[in-house]
Amino acid sequence: MNPIQILRRPARTSLLAVLAACLCAAPFATPLAQAQQRAPRVQLADAIVAVVNSEVVTRNELEERLARVRGTMRAQGIGLPPAAELERQVLESMIIERVQLQRAREASIRVDDGTIDRAVASIAERNGLNIEGLRARLESDGIAYAQFRDDLRKEIAIERLREREIDNRVQVADSEIENFLAADAKAAQSEQELNIAHIVIRIPENASAEEIAARRQRAEEVLARLQGGADFAQLAATYSDASDALTGGDLGWRTPDRLPQLYVGGLRGLQNGQASQLLRSANGFHILQLKGRRAAGNTDTLATASVQQTRARHILIKVNQIVSASEARHKLVELKQRIENGAAKFEDLARSHSNDLSASRGGDLGWIYPGDTVPQFERAMNALKPGEISEPIESPFGYHLIQVLERKQDDVSEERKRRIAQQVLRQRKAEEATQDWLRQLRDSAYVEYRLDELPSAS
């Protein structure tokens, strides 16, 4: 096993998006049978707007989410769709979220409080705040801290579910890696990043010819409105079936190798601000908008001549039900004092105290490339001089003492280039597989809409 595997950056997660938008659902709804028993006594505001398998979505939940979505869209400068369309979009996003959470529970995926604590601490750090500062910021924005933690719990559960269900679907062939490396070498001197947005009109699984024709017509109507000067973000929020619809379909800045090939072809020849023609995939119809171009700086290209490597070692104390965070920090402070006082050697203490697989090697992690470790660890390591020992550093894995042994500039090896290429290709394929998986998950769920039976939310 790779000695730095336990420190590797966790899979993609959208925790910062949760902080920015905080769009996750309200607490779990009452089971359908119980809701039906109480129905005669329920006020209109608590009426059922949708049934999702054995659970319900209530009017209160929908109105709460609508208020949060409207606030986020206004803050991002996205024009609000008509009330009925926004209501439909938000309800659909809640349904898809509910289906994923149900599947996560079936898969026995649980997110404990310690994980939430570390996620909150990470979000606070990335935003230049401590925990109390983050809590105050949330409350000033009208977001209850308990609700924020619950949102994070759901977000992490869904992310773990996606990793489990999608990883097995993604395979990268050797020939794909070779083609990627060849293309990367050619593009190294002229690589650009593209700022793009998209609208997706989803085709249900096993759709009939009539259903496909109706979806195409809907997509063509959206495209016609775009060509007539309508705002892309507002149309995305109104009509797109993608999970990012309520943020205007924004995909952000990406290099072409981080995009599906369908999108790369659709963007070719577009000027800034222009929309593509209609694109067809197995999942549905797509419309792209090129919002801007810029030089990528070649920071991510595999053709980079050399990089700085750091040889480091560490002592890890994990936080669990037995060892608290304060106890872990205190223990590492004691160990550091023993090392600096000459009473013990770093490698000996790593062997006897570290909870990492590297303990048997005296905590030695070998040569580390940029991006090999989680951000908290890498930042602390990069701030050290050779021979220097850090203060206790928190990461998602626990608390660390880090010592840098030496540094060097080194060419990126062919083996590493292939590994990076494989990771990039897996990420690209995973995004496409995720959309296919969500479509199948949504289409396999029992969903009963009751929104049309009720007055529109204000």
Side-chain angles (χ1 to χ4, degrees), residues 98-260:
R98 190 65 58 90
V99 172
Q100 291 178 88
L101 290 170
Q102 291 170 355
R103 179 65 65 88
R105 291 201 302 275
E106 292 170 3
S108 299
I109 293 174
R110 301 287 185 269
V111 182
D112 59 31
D113 288 340
T115 300
I116 302 302
D117 291 341
R118 290 190 290 274
V120 170
S122 176
I123 290 172
E125 180 185 357
R126 294 181 192 182
N127 286 271
L129 301 168
N130 57 26
I131 300 298
E132 290 306 314
L134 174 63
R135 188 167 188 160
R137 174 77 62 82
L138 291 169
E139 291 175 353
S140 69
D141 291 338
I143 302 170
Y145 185 66
Q147 178 67 60
F148 178 69
R149 288 178 61 90
D150 191 53
D151 289 346
L152 282 179
R153 194 182 304 276
K154 293 173 185 176
E155 177 75 14
I156 294 171
I158 288 173
E159 193 65 36
R160 289 180 177 176
L161 173 69
R162 291 184 180 184
E163 291 170 3
R164 178 182 297 188
E165 302 233 350
I166 292 168
D167 278 354
N168 293 332
R169 300 183 178 212
V170 178
Q171 302 295 328
V172 178
D174 287 343
S175 58
E176 293 177 292
I177 294 175
E178 297 293 344
N179 292 337
F180 181 91
L181 290 172
D184 186 83
K186 292 179 182 178
Q189 300 305 317
S190 59
E191 187 75 14
Q192 283 191 325
E193 285 183 320
L194 308 176
N195 188 10
I196 62 176
H198 70 156
I199 294 171
V200 181
I201 305 299
R202 186 174 64 90
I203 298 175
E205 193 172 18
N206 302 319
S208 66
E210 290 77 11
E211 287 176 313
I212 295 174
R215 293 288 177 159
R216 175 182 284 276
Q217 181 178 354
R218 179 182 176 90
E220 288 174 344
E221 290 172 354
V222 172
L223 181 59
R225 293 187 61 181
L226 282 171
Q227 293 171 339
D231 179 68
F232 191 99
Q234 187 171 18
L235 288 181
T238 305
Y239 297 108
S240 180
D241 296 317
S243 59
D244 49 30
L246 294 172
T247 57
D250 185 26
L251 291 175
W253 289 96
R254 299 196 183 190
T255 53
D257 58 28
R258 268 67 174 180
L259 291 171

Side-chain angles (χ1 to χ4, degrees), residues 273-290:
Q274 283 188 327
S276 71
Q277 295 301 309
L278 208 59
L279 307 174
R280 170 71 192 273
S281 75
N283 290 322
F285 298 97
H286 308 253
I287 304 171
L288 309 178
Q289 183 188 43
L290 177 62

